[in-house]
Amino acid sequence: MGIVSELNLREDVAKLTERIMNIESVSGNEKALADQVYEALRGLSHLEVHRDGDSIVARTNLGRAQRVVLAGHLDTVPLPHVAGARGTVPATVTDEVLYGRGATDMKGGVAVQLALAAELTGPRFDVTYIFYDHEEVAAEKSGLGRLARNSPQLLQADFAILLEPTNGTVEGGCNGTSRFLVRTTGTAAHSARAWMGENAIHKAAPILVRLASYEPATVDVEGLAYRESMNAVRISGGVAGNVIPDYCEVEVNYRFAPDKNLSDAETAVRALFEGFDVERTDGAEGARPGLDQPIAASLVQILGQEPKPKYGWTDVSRFSALGISAVNFGPGDALLAHTDDEHVSQQAIRDCLNTLRLWLTEAN
């Protein structure tokens, strides 16, 4: 017997968001939610629906002059472990505010996509709705990346919107991100005879001093000011409480403006840590603002707000790499993403839906 979707795509979009939030989908565990989304979309006769693992693509095919993508990820970061935290599953509602994991990042945006997919049978653009897995983990696991490799034709469009949280304004492009291990080595010895060894953790002190002294830049890219950052995010070393450590690794995350590529970022990090062993372990390119087309300007015009830069990395980068201009626009405050108090107002979700409905149906 097949799965029957429990998602009513035509109910109030805030209630739909709550239902989606109640389906736990921490990265690697997206299948239950992907099944529900797939079954709900398969019942819509005006859409062509394709599934690749836990990623789903639904497309209109109306022969419009332009095609736009609305994309969002199904996964969330792990649930909080703090007693009494409200950013968990299932969702709760207090004073018309939804609390729970994924409230801002980004099940409100996913609900907006689903509502539009069900409602808009004749939009002024052809629309591709993409729901994908494994966004919150290492880049090589990305469901959107898998779609780009396996079925690149399904991603082709003139413009793309990632429904990441932006507090209801357009955020152009995104910073790139990269991670590095900066290593020191020493000589192991019994800690009672420490003079016989060389402490690798102590030798990491200059790494932290350089990071603490580092002054991140703010870079203007096509009129938007992107703030960079470079931080130690993890330190590991040592083998036991009575052994002088012979190794230490400091993991460094560099968020760089979209005027640079990964190679530029690596050059900057290696220059800062000259004299140390440095290895890049992960990275994703940034994306320029993507606001230089009339199709993007029409969305900005409806909102009546000045676009902002996206400081965090998002999958606009993947669309940019495919030659597709892309922006971020979705409900919720990105500063609340991944927090133990993650929440979004129900009205913010409705406002996002109304804006995109207007943009997709009315000529400007």
Side-chain angles (χ1 to χ4, degrees):
M1 187 172 179
I3 294 171
V4 177
S5 180
E6 300 170 4
L7 302 179
N8 178 0
L9 306 191
R10 292 180 172 83
E11 70 178 334
D12 173 48
V13 70
K15 183 62 178 178
L16 177 59
T17 300
E18 184 179 351
R19 292 187 192 279
I20 295 170
M21 289 170 61
N22 288 343
I23 304 173
E24 184 267 303
S25 58
V26 172
S27 301
N29 195 35
E30 297 95 333
K31 185 178 185 303
L33 179 54
D35 287 345
Q36 292 288 314
V37 169
Y38 180 60
E39 292 303 323
L41 292 171
R42 279 211 308 170
L44 302 174
S45 60
H46 61 283
L47 297 175
E48 299 174 354
V49 182
H50 171 90
R51 182 166 183 173
D52 182 331
D54 289 331
S55 291
I56 297 106
V57 180
R59 294 159 43 97
T60 65
N61 205 354
L62 302 169
R64 302 294 195 243
Q66 291 179 298
R67 177 176 290 278
V68 300
V69 166
L70 301 182
H73 59 86
L74 300 176
D75 62 321
T76 72
V77 296
L79 307 183
H81 297 291
V82 178
R86 294 198 288 184
T88 186
V89 175
T92 59
V93 182
T94 304
D95 296 328
E96 298 191 354
V97 176
L98 273 168
Y99 291 84
R101 181 59 80 224
T104 57
D105 194 11
M106 54 169 292
K107 291 188 174 181
V110 168
V112 169
Q113 291 176 252
L114 288 169
L116 290 169
E119 176 187 345
L120 300 184
T121 58
R124 67 187 179 110
F125 312 113
D126 268 312
V127 184
T128 300
Y129 304 93
I130 302 176
F131 308 86
Y132 57 99
D133 58 285
H134 285 92
E135 190 270 353
E136 298 287 8
V137 290
E140 67 268 14
K141 295 183 178 180
S142 166
L144 188 60
R146 188 177 65 252
L147 284 169
R149 293 189 299 273
N150 294 347
S151 306
Q153 73 281 1
L154 295 179
L155 273 59
Q156 289 305 307
D158 299 283
F159 184 61
I161 298 175
L162 269 291
L163 278 90
E164 292 277 359
T166 64
N167 250 352
T169 192
V170 169
E171 294 184 346
C174 68
N175 277 337
T177 183
S178 53
R179 284 192 285 270
F180 300 83
L181 291 177
V182 186
R183 298 187 178 96
T184 60
T185 57
T187 303
H190 196 296
S191 60
R193 295 175 288 279
W195 59 89
M196 299 298 295
E198 189 178 16
N199 194 311
I201 292 178
H202 292 181
K203 291 172 70 175
I207 298 172
L208 302 181
V209 168
R210 293 184 198 186
L211 281 168
S213 302
Y214 177 78
E215 296 186 4
T218 298
V219 182
D220 185 284
V221 182
E222 298 174 17
L224 298 182
Y226 291 86
R227 295 178 61 179
E228 297 190 332
S229 63
M230 191 183 304
N231 291 280
V233 293
R234 189 178 305 167
I235 298 178
S236 61
V239 294
N242 60 352
V243 178
I244 298 300
D246 61 354
Y247 77 94
C248 182
E249 293 180 338
V250 179
E251 185 175 6
V252 174
N253 181 210
Y254 179 32
R255 302 281 178 149
F256 55 94
D259 65 323
K260 303 175 183 66
N261 58 30
L262 277 171
S263 178
D264 298 330
E266 183 166 350
T267 297
V269 171
R270 289 187 179 279
L272 181 64
F273 298 112
E274 185 177 1
F276 290 95
D277 176 21
V278 177
E279 177 190 359
R280 192 181 86 195
T281 58
D282 192 22
E285 302 281 3
R288 300 182 78 85
L291 296 168
D292 56 349
Q293 295 189 52
I295 194 171
S298 66
L299 175 60
V300 173
Q301 182 181 3
I302 286 175
L303 286 167
Q305 302 177 29
E306 286 294 318
K308 298 179 181 179
K310 173 60 85 174
Y311 298 131
W313 185 91
T314 74
D315 276 305
V316 294
S317 173
R318 295 189 189 278
F319 286 103
S320 180
L322 293 170
I324 302 167
S325 293
V327 300
N328 306 277
F329 173 67
D333 184 349
L335 297 179
L336 296 172
H338 305 182
T339 68
D340 291 344
D341 193 39
E342 188 174 356
H343 61 271
V344 63
S345 78
Q346 294 178 324
Q347 191 57 46
I349 304 169
R350 298 183 187 115
D351 289 345
C352 179
L353 173 64
N354 291 335
T355 296
L356 288 176
R357 178 193 290 124
L358 180 62
W359 178 66
L360 289 166
T361 58
E362 295 189 12
N364 297 284

